[in-house]
Amino acid sequence: SAGLRWGIVTNKPAWLTDPLLEHMGLHRRSGCNVSGDTLAQRKPHPAPILHACRELAVAPAATLYVGDASRDIDAGRAAGCTTVSALYGYIEAHDTPADWGADYAIEQPAALLGLPPLARIRATAWAGLDPARMGLGPVYATARALEATGCALSDFGAVELNEAFAA
């Protein structure tokens, strides 16, 4: 890791999210975990992301927020973060990520390493790692990319976690 922090912000309640994060070993590796019932507001309200930024002691303007739904991008933009659409996430057929207004879009987690905000960071954790070939779900694969880069928050819902858990 580059010594930078990452965390999880999801609308799923803690009773779904926490056991899955623990099983996947992400509960100790992420700097914070904000569930849908942590605060009174949920995404697309910016409060959960702003709360996570405070927990991580990072300014929203210095934060990447990765999400796979329009509400994620709306919340990230409202919080003042740089936003990234995760096109490898669980996007419905009727969704149009190009219309979400994200600052960047990525087809795979390792693409985070090539984004201009992270290009200065040299990370070796992804050398030879192909999440699709290894059967890693989107959550775990993105977490590995975030560990290699740091400085990002990412939305991982319980659906994604369940699927990653099953992988």
Side-chain angles (χ1 to χ4, degrees):
S1 171
L4 303 172
R5 295 168 297 278
W6 64 273
I8 297 170
V9 176
T10 179
N11 275 351
K12 307 305 184 284
W15 70 270
L16 289 173
T17 307
D18 292 348
L20 294 167
L21 292 175
E22 186 171 339
H23 180 80
M24 294 170 65
L26 296 177
H27 68 294
R28 286 193 206 108
R29 292 155 58 185
S30 65
C32 71
N33 300 313
V34 179
S35 297
D37 51 3
T38 301
L39 303 173
Q41 302 89 0
R42 296 170 41 148
K43 297 176 295 172
H45 197 283
I49 295 173
L50 294 171
H51 177 77
C53 288
R54 284 190 299 275
E55 291 283 314
L56 294 170
V58 294
T63 303
L64 291 179
Y65 186 76
V66 181
D68 63 1
S70 63
R71 72 180 156 275
D72 300 327
I73 304 307
D74 290 346
R77 291 179 71 79
C81 300
T82 298
T83 57
V84 181
S85 292
L87 303 178
Y88 56 88
Y90 296 95
I91 298 173
E92 301 285 333
H94 64 276
D95 286 338
T96 52
D99 294 340
W100 297 349
D103 298 300
Y104 301 98
I106 57 174
E107 299 269 345
Q108 59 180 341
L112 284 170
L113 299 174
L115 296 181
L118 301 179
R120 62 181 169 71
I121 298 171
R122 296 282 184 238
T124 59
W126 278 94
L129 178 62
D130 179 356
R133 182 179 54 77
M134 295 178 68
L136 299 177
V139 173
Y140 191 74
T142 302
R144 292 289 302 272
L146 294 177
E147 287 178 332
T149 63
C151 74
L153 292 173
S154 187
D155 167 66
F156 301 137
V159 172
E160 292 92 325
L161 290 171
N162 279 321
E163 297 216 13
F165 174 73

